[in-house]
Amino acid sequence: MPDYSCYITLKNTLDVALTKIGDGTGHGYWQTHPPDSIAAGAASTQFQTKDHVGTEGSDGWVTYRVELQDVPDQGSRPVVKVTFGDPTGNTDNWYGCSCQNGMGNALFSFSNTDYPKRDHPLTVTGTIGYNKTITTISAVANLKMPSPILNLYNSNGENRKVANQVIWDSATPNANDDNITAGVSGSYSPVTVDLAVATTYLNVSININNDFVGVPFYVQADIGTDENVLSNPNPQYFTTAGTQIIRASIQPSWQSTTFPWGMTGDAIWKLSVGPTRQSIPITTTRIEIYGLTKTLPGFYGNKIGVGFLRAMILPARNSGTMDWVQYVINAAFGTYGTTHFEYDTVDGAPHFNVGYGGGNFDLRSWITSSLISKSLVNCYDQAGIVQICLGLVVNVTSTWQYQKPFGYIMQTNLIGVGQCNNPFFQSNGTPPVIGNNDAKRTGFGNHAFVSIGSRANQIGDACGGPHQGTETLAQYIAASIQQSGNGADETTLYNSTGTKPGTAADVNAQAGVTSINGGTPTMTALTKVKAEDRTSRVMETATMVQDASSPFTNLDLSAIHEILVNKSGFKLLDHYQEVSAGGSEIRWVLDSDSGPTTINVAILSTPEHARLYFEDHLSKYQRHLEEVFTAPPAGMEKGQLCLTSPAGRTNHALMVWVRGNVFAHVSTATSLDVLESSFGNPLDQFMRSCSCEESDLVKPVLRTLQGPTRAVKVGQVFMVSPS
C-alpha cells in the first residue's frame, strides 16, 4: 500500500521564537505532533500525519504565534498557519504557509522545498523568515500641533494659533511652503512649543493601507541630514486599515530646555519596520517649529514674528555655545556672521526707534537690516535687541542701564569696525585708533547697556567688546572707560574738554524696551524731552526755519513710493506702512553700492504732535546733538522745523524736518547734496503740494462695521467688514 503520510520540517530564520497555538488533522492522524515551539534560527523536528487504511490520505495544520518583541501584547502578535496534505486519487498534494486573517503577511517571507504533486508520501521543509523589501502606499494625511503656546505670526502677518493647529495637510501639500526668507525652508503655519518641557509632540495622522496591517513599525522623520528629529519611540501596530493618529515626539538633537531652538525644513516621514529596521519613506511635509518660553515679557505684546525667530533662533544651533546670554550678545555683535551691523561712526544715530532709556523697538526694520551689509546701529539699538532676545527664555532677566557721562573708550572691538578708541572717527576723517591725547579724538557722551538680573547684575554690552555678562559693573567700567591721567592707558583730554569719565554713580536703570513695532506714538503718550538740555539748543537751531505754508496735509503716502523709490534707482529692500491711533507712518529701506538709505514719513494728528515727534527723534542720538545736526544750508530749508548733518560729508548724510503735521527723516550713505536732490527736495515739494487748512482735511468716514459676534481672544485673527 502507498504511504500517504506528510513529513513536515519548519525552519525558523526569524530572530524570535515560534510558539505553537494549535494543531489538527482533517484526515488521518498525528504520528508525530509538531513541537510546542521552534527557537529563533532553529529548525523543528520533523512531524508527521499518517493516513488511516482507506481512500482519504492524510492532511493537517499547525499554527504558531510569532513572538515579536515590538508587539508587547501577546494576543495581538501575528499567527502563522501551516497547512499540508497528501490525498489519494487524482488530487494534488499541497503545502502552504500564511498569516492568519492576513495579519502581517507583508512582514514575512514564506518558502518551501519542492515536492511532487502526485507522488507519495509528501515530504516538505518550509522556511519562515522576514520580508526585508516591504512596499506600502500608506501616507501621512496631516500634521497637527495639539497646543501651540504663543501667538506666532507668519511672514504674511497671520496668526494661525488654534488648538490642534494644522501645520501640514495632504489635501494642499505645498500650500504652507514659505520660502520668502533666504536660506530658510519655512512654513506659513509655524508653531511654538514650551521650551521648559523636555518632550513635546505632534499628532501625525497616517492612512495605513492594507499592506501594513499587522506590521509593527516606528514613525520617524528626517530633515536633511538630521535623522529622527520627529519620532515615536513606541512601536505601532494596527489590526485594521484606515486613518490612525500617532504622537510623534519633537526631539532634534540640539533641543534644550534652557536654550531656545528652532527646526524648519522638509521633513521626510518614514515607517521603520520594527523587526527588520527597514526604513520606508512615505511622505514629505514642510514644518517650522520653535522652542521658546511660554511667557514672553510684556513688551512683546503677547505676539512674536517668525522673521525674528528665523534671524536669531535658527543660527543658534551652529554657534557652539549653550549659554543663551553669551549667544545673544555675540549674535547681536555679529560674531557668528549672521548679522552685519556697523556702529554709526558719524552720528551715533538710532536706527530702530529706541532712545537712551529704551521705548518702542522697530524689530521689522532690524530683521531686514540684519541681512544688509553696512547697516548702522548705535548703543541704544544694541541694548534693545539684546533685551528683546534675552526675553525668549524664562530664567534670564535684564535691566536697561543708561550711563551719562560715559567718556573716552578704552581701545576695544567696536561692532562692525574692529579695534577702536575713537568711535566717531568718520565724522572728522581720523582713524578708528588714535593717540590717547589727540585733540581730534572722540568719545561717548553717554552709553546704554544691560545688566543681567539672573547673573547678579553682571553687564552685557553688544556694542563694544563684546561684554558677555561675566563682569560686575565696576569691572565693566574699568574695562570700557579710559580714565584721566598721563599713563599709557589714560588720557588728558578730559581736562582740555571740560568733561569727566563716567562712574558707577552715573549709571541709572531705565524702562528699557516697552513695545515692539508699536506704531506711531499718540500725542499724549509721546515722551516730552524738553527738559533734557541735549535737545533744547538744537531745537532752537531747527526753529530758525519759518515756512508759512498751510499747517495740515492731505498727503497720499502711497504716492511717495513712485516719487522717491522708483525714480531713485536704488534697490528696494524693505517697505511697510502702519496706521495706528497716533497717526500713519511709512518706511522704506533702499540699498545702493554706497550703503543703505532709510526714509521715514509720519503723518501726525496736529502740527504740535509733529513737533513733539521731531523732538523725541532728536533725543535718541547717542552723540552730542550739536555734533550731529546743524541748520540746513541755504536753499535746503524745509517746513517749520529742519535740521541736516553738516555739509561737506561724502559718506553719510541726515535730514529731518516737519511740515505742518508731517514729520520726515532721510538717512543715506551719500553726501548731503545727493540726499537733497534724490530724496529731500522731491519729497518736500510733494508735501508742500498736499498742504491744506484743517477745514480741508480729507478724513476717513467710518461706515457700519460688521465683525465677530463673540469675544475675540488676544492674537486671534478675525474679519471686520464695512457695509
Side-chain angles (χ1 to χ4, degrees):
M1 293 289 293
D3 181 4
Y4 292 96
S5 294
C6 299
Y7 297 90
I8 308 298
T9 303
L10 292 179
K11 286 185 178 180
N12 176 17
T13 63
L14 305 174
D15 58 354
V16 293
L18 301 175
T19 302
K20 188 171 73 172
I21 302 299
D23 59 31
T25 57
H27 300 91
Y29 59 94
W30 288 110
Q31 181 70 23
T32 306
H33 280 272
D36 290 338
S37 65
I38 306 173
S44 70
T45 56
Q46 189 179 70
F47 49 94
Q48 174 192 357
T49 57
K50 184 171 179 57
D51 62 301
H52 296 288
V53 176
T55 60
E56 293 182 339
S58 72
D59 58 81
W61 59 269
V62 60
T63 55
Y64 283 97
R65 182 175 65 235
V66 184
E67 304 293 8
L68 295 177
Q69 299 307 299
D70 295 309
V71 185
D73 178 19
Q74 283 190 346
S76 298
R77 291 174 178 170
V79 174
V80 173
K81 185 173 185 178
V82 180
T83 60
F84 45 87
D86 184 357
T88 59
N90 295 324
T91 305
D92 289 344
N93 300 335
W94 77 87
Y95 171 89
C97 187
S98 64
C99 285
Q100 208 165 35
N101 301 321
M103 291 281 294
N105 268 334
L107 179 60
F108 300 108
S109 171
F110 304 114
S111 62
N112 55 267
T113 55
D114 291 335
Y115 58 90
K117 299 299 183 182
R118 296 290 175 89
D119 285 348
H120 312 288
L122 171 66
T123 302
V124 177
T125 297
T127 300
I128 301 173
Y130 287 125
N131 175 15
K132 298 181 180 180
T133 57
I134 298 176
T135 60
T136 182
I137 59 172
S138 301
V140 175
N142 60 61
L143 304 176
K144 293 182 180 180
M145 175 60 68
S147 301
I149 62 168
L150 298 175
N151 295 310
L152 178 57
Y153 285 74
N154 66 18
S155 57
N156 283 336
E158 303 168 321
N159 173 25
R160 298 188 180 181
K161 177 195 169 191
V162 292
N164 292 312
Q165 178 180 337
V166 177
I167 63 176
W168 186 86
D169 195 295
S170 60
T172 53
N174 302 116
N176 285 332
D177 290 4
D178 174 11
N179 301 313
I180 194 170
T181 302
V184 176
S185 297
S187 169
Y188 286 117
S189 189
V191 291
T192 52
V193 296
D194 189 354
L195 178 70
V197 177
T199 305
T200 53
Y201 298 91
L202 282 179
N203 286 335
V204 185
S205 293
I206 299 183
N207 292 325
I208 300 298
N209 193 58
N210 284 322
D211 52 25
F212 237 65
V213 171
V215 177
F217 63 92
Y218 296 81
V219 176
Q220 299 165 335
D222 303 337
I223 297 181
T225 59
D226 298 314
E227 296 184 345
N228 301 337
V229 292
L230 299 155
S231 67
N232 188 308
N234 301 313
Q236 307 298 310
Y237 183 84
F238 298 107
T239 58
T240 58
T243 301
Q244 307 289 347
I245 298 177
I246 301 169
R247 289 206 314 170
S249 61
I250 303 166
Q251 51 182 21
S253 60
W254 57 97
Q255 179 184 2
S256 167
T257 57
T258 59
F259 193 100
W261 55 269
M263 179 172 65
T264 184
D266 290 322
I268 300 175
W269 292 88
K270 57 192 181 180
L271 305 183
S272 179
V273 179
T276 66
R277 295 299 186 261
Q278 179 194 352
S279 184
I280 307 172
I282 56 170
T283 312
T284 300
T285 69
R286 178 65 61 87
I287 63 168
E288 186 165 7
I289 304 171
Y290 297 93
L292 305 173
T293 176
K294 66 179 180 181
T295 307
L296 293 172
F299 53 73
Y300 275 98
N302 198 31
K303 61 183 179 181
I304 194 167
V306 75
F308 170 54
L309 301 184
R310 291 173 182 174
M312 187 55 70
I313 302 297
L314 292 182
R317 177 187 173 189
N318 299 316
S319 66
T321 179
M322 290 302 290
D323 182 319
W324 183 242
V325 173
Q326 182 185 71
Y327 168 75
V328 164
I329 293 171
N330 277 290
F333 189 75
T335 301
Y336 307 119
T338 54
T339 58
H340 307 278
F341 292 108
E342 296 180 5
Y343 185 76
D344 186 343
T345 56
V346 177
D347 298 314
H351 292 268
F352 305 110
N353 203 42
V354 281
Y356 67 89
N360 178 60
F361 191 95
D362 186 357
L363 189 57
R364 282 171 301 209
S365 295
W366 183 91
I367 294 167
T368 300
S369 300
S370 70
L371 304 174
I372 304 171
S373 177
K374 302 179 182 179
S375 291
L376 300 180
V377 290
N378 74 356
C379 66
Y380 310 154
D381 298 320
Q382 290 300 94
I385 195 62
V386 167
Q387 194 166 53
I388 287 170
C389 293
L390 291 179
L392 295 176
V393 294
V394 71
N395 60 342
V396 177
T397 58
S398 65
T399 301
W400 184 296
Q401 303 290 350
Y402 175 66
Q403 183 170 8
K404 180 184 178 182
F406 196 78
Y408 293 97
I409 64 173
M410 296 286 282
Q411 183 170 323
T412 188
N413 189 9
L414 189 64
I415 181 171
V417 174
Q419 290 299 300
C420 180
N421 70 346
N422 178 30
F424 301 111
F425 63 90
Q426 284 192 308
S427 68
N428 59 13
T430 53
V433 177
I434 197 170
N436 286 345
N437 301 318
D438 193 305
K440 290 187 176 182
R441 185 183 176 193
T442 60
F444 283 164
N446 62 80
H447 193 53
F449 45 89
V450 300
S451 58
I452 315 298
S454 50
R455 292 194 174 184
N457 291 318
Q458 291 180 318
I459 303 304
D461 186 353
C463 189
H467 298 269
Q468 303 176 42
T470 60
E471 302 158 292
T472 65
L473 178 59
Q475 291 170 330
Y476 167 75
I477 290 175
S480 303
I481 302 175
Q482 196 164 53
Q483 298 302 304
S484 181
N486 292 308
D489 288 327
E490 297 175 330
T491 179
T492 61
L493 290 176
Y494 292 109
N495 294 332
S496 60
T497 58
T499 58
K500 70 181 186 72
T503 67
D506 300 313
V507 178
N508 293 285
Q510 303 291 323
V513 176
T514 56
S515 61
I516 293 174
N517 304 330
T520 308
T522 63
M523 186 169 176
T524 301
L526 196 59
T527 303
K528 295 186 178 182
V529 293
K530 288 170 63 176
E532 265 244 317
D533 292 338
R534 64 192 305 261
T535 61
S536 58
R537 187 176 301 176
V538 76
M539 281 294 290
E540 292 174 4
T541 302
T543 55
M544 293 174 62
V545 179
Q546 295 296 327
D547 189 307
S549 61
S550 300
F552 287 87
T553 182
N554 282 319
L555 187 69
D556 180 1
L557 287 175
S558 61
I560 299 176
H561 191 88
E562 175 63 28
I563 294 170
L564 296 185
V565 178
N566 291 348
K567 293 183 179 179
S568 72
F570 287 23
K571 179 183 177 182
L572 178 63
L573 297 175
D574 190 32
H575 164 239
Y576 70 84
Q577 181 173 334
E578 183 167 329
V579 178
S580 64
S584 299
E585 190 164 356
I586 195 165
R587 176 184 174 97
W588 294 266
V589 179
L590 312 177
D591 195 20
S592 66
D593 292 339
S594 57
T597 293
T598 58
I599 305 167
N600 291 80
V601 178
I603 302 179
L604 291 309
S605 58
T606 65
E608 174 63 10
H609 191 179
R611 189 194 69 78
L612 289 172
Y613 194 97
F614 182 94
E615 191 169 3
D616 182 65
H617 175 81
L618 296 181
S619 74
K620 297 173 180 177
Y621 286 77
Q622 185 180 6
R623 198 176 179 198
H624 294 299
L625 290 173
E626 292 82 3
E627 298 171 333
V628 177
F629 288 110
T630 186
M636 292 190 190
E637 304 93 337
K638 294 174 176 59
Q640 292 75 45
L641 295 169
C642 184
L643 292 168
T644 69
S645 53
R649 295 178 183 171
T650 60
N651 59 351
H652 188 70
L654 295 171
M655 182 177 289
V656 290
W657 72 99
V658 167
R659 179 174 291 283
N661 62 319
V662 180
F663 167 86
H665 165 240
V666 180
S667 171
T668 184
T670 64
S671 67
L672 187 60
D673 288 338
V674 172
L675 184 156
E676 169 71 357
S677 61
S678 298
F679 304 106
N681 184 60
L683 176 57
D684 190 60
Q685 290 299 315
F686 180 63
M687 290 164 62
R688 178 190 284 271
S689 71
C690 298
S691 296
C692 67
E693 298 298 326
E694 184 174 12
S695 58
D696 296 323
L697 275 176
V698 177
K699 299 180 180 180
V701 178
L702 289 180
R703 301 179 180 179
T704 302
L705 300 179
Q706 296 177 335
T709 58
R710 298 180 179 179
V712 177
K713 296 181 180 179
V714 173
Q716 181 179 342
V717 177
F718 62 94
M719 182 177 292
V720 176
S721 303
S723 60

